């Protein structure tokens, strides 16, 4: 079991460019989550999917952020027109069952917007 | 809505002293509390969890007791070790029918020799 895989581990973009972050959840896990981590805000929930269907995107900045899960083996988080305030570590997590299940986190993608 | 409060952003301790990291929460629904730990350059991972009122839960030398009367789930350890230095998140889930978890802002624990 390789755990949750996130690529790339580091990404540097210029202001206004697009960034796409990838997540491969643990095989068999039915829920996939995206979080943004900063020193000031801690772990901020962005969005999650269950069985590939979007369930809750209440944490997503509406204008430039989007997430998809085209199949059960990967999810993407896309940020259009990146801004310096988007600089953060983006964490993906997956869980097996509903009902207070443990979330397994990936190593994160550190996004730096210059 | 649900919320989790961790009052200390940073706790610094000398090795061997007891650890207590505070966590309080607000929810109108069921209660399942978690502590996650994140060591430097690693992913967060579950440390312990509980949904039972007034029952002590232990793992890897840490323990916590959910007190619904005071809405608290403080993390404790009798003797800090250098390897305990990490970021600790308290988190809440309010229903067995949802996957979503609300995290606190985290407490960084720094243990020095």
């Amino acid at each position: 079991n390789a755990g949750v895989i996130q690529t790339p581990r580091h990404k540097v973009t210029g202001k206004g460019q697009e960034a796409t972050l990838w997540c491969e959840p643990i095989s068999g896990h039915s829920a996939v989550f995206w979080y943004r981590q900063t020193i000031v805000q801690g772990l901020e929930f962005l969005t999650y999917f269950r069985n590939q269907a979007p369930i809750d995107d209440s944490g997503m900045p509406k204008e430039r952020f989007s997430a998809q899960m085209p199949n059960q083996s990967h999810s993407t988080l896309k940020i259009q027109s990146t801004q310096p305030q988007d600089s953060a570590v983006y964490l993906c997590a997956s869980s097996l069952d509903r009902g207070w299940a443990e979330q397994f986190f990936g190593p994160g993608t550190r996004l730096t917007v210059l | 809505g649900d919320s989790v409060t961790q009052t200390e952003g940073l706790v610094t301790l000398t090795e061997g002293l007891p650890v207590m990291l505070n966590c309080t929460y607000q929810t109108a629904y069921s209660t399942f509390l978690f502590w996650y730990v994140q060591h430097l350059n690693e992913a967060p991972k579950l440390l312990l969890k509980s949904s039972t009122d007034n029952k002590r839960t232990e793992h890897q030398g840490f323990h916590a007791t959910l007190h619904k009367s005071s809405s608290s789930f403080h993390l404790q350890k009798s003797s800090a070790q250098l390897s305990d230095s990490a970021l600790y998140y308290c988190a809440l889930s309010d229903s067995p029918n949802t996957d979503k978890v609300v995290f606190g802002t985290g407490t960084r624990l720094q243990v020095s020799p």
Side-chain angles (χ1 to χ4, degrees), chain A residues 33-35 43-48 56 58-60, chain B residues 100-101:
Chain A
F33 306 81
W34 284 97
Y35 296 91
L43 268 176
E44 293 179 273
F45 168 80
L46 294 176
T47 187
Y48 89 95
D56 185 338
S58 58
M60 293 277 273
Chain B
K100 188 176 176 180
V101 171

Side-chain angles (χ1 to χ4, degrees), chain B residues 22-76:
Chain B
N22 292 319
C23 173
T24 57
Y25 63 90
Q26 284 189 315
T27 180
Y29 306 103
S30 302
T31 311
F32 207 110
L33 273 294
F34 306 81
W35 276 101
Y36 281 80
V37 58
Q38 184 179 23
H39 288 92
L40 190 64
N41 296 324
E42 295 184 7
K45 57 185 178 183
L46 182 67
L47 180 58
L48 48 78
K49 63 182 182 181
S50 178
S51 63
T52 306
D53 198 12
N54 296 318
K55 181 180 178 182
R56 176 171 161 145
T57 300
E58 299 190 38
H59 188 61
Q60 295 183 340
F62 286 89
H63 63 92
T65 302
L66 177 58
H67 292 296
K68 294 186 179 181
S69 61
S70 59
S71 299
S72 67
F73 190 58
H74 305 319
L75 183 67
Q76 299 182 69

Side-chain angles (χ1 to χ4, degrees), chain A residues 6-61:
Chain A
Q6 290 189 251
T7 55
R9 293 294 307 277
H10 302 273
K11 186 170 182 67
V12 179
T13 65
K15 183 178 176 181
Q17 293 184 327
E18 181 178 287
T20 300
L21 313 181
W22 295 72
C23 171
E24 181 179 331
I26 294 172
S27 178
H29 281 196
S30 52
V32 174
F33 306 81
W34 284 97
Y35 296 91
R36 178 168 60 184
Q37 184 177 36
T38 62
I39 293 174
V40 173
Q41 298 292 335
L43 268 176
E44 293 179 273
F45 168 80
L46 294 176
T47 187
Y48 89 95
F49 300 83
R50 168 160 279 281
N51 296 324
Q52 299 174 234
I55 303 299
D56 185 338
D57 67 352
S58 58
M60 293 277 273

Side-chain angles (χ1 to χ4, degrees), chain A residues 37-114:
Chain A
Q37 184 177 36
T38 62
I39 293 174
V40 173
Q41 298 292 335
L43 268 176
E44 293 179 273
F45 168 80
L46 294 176
T47 187
Y48 89 95
F49 300 83
R50 168 160 279 281
N51 296 324
Q52 299 174 234
I55 303 299
D56 185 338
D57 67 352
S58 58
M60 293 277 273
K62 296 303 182 188
E63 291 184 352
R64 299 182 294 105
F65 284 59
S66 62
Q68 293 184 329
M69 191 162 184
N71 57 60
Q72 63 185 8
S73 63
H74 90 272
S75 175
T76 59
L77 178 68
K78 183 180 292 185
I79 308 172
Q80 294 178 311
S81 186
T82 54
Q83 303 297 310
Q85 61 264 31
D86 299 331
S87 297
V89 175
Y90 290 83
L91 289 164
C92 177
S94 67
S95 66
L96 180 58
D97 296 311
R98 194 170 297 179
W100 302 322
E102 174 181 359
Q103 292 187 17
F104 293 83
F105 285 83
T109 295
R110 181 175 295 278
L111 176 66
T112 301
V113 182
L114 302 176

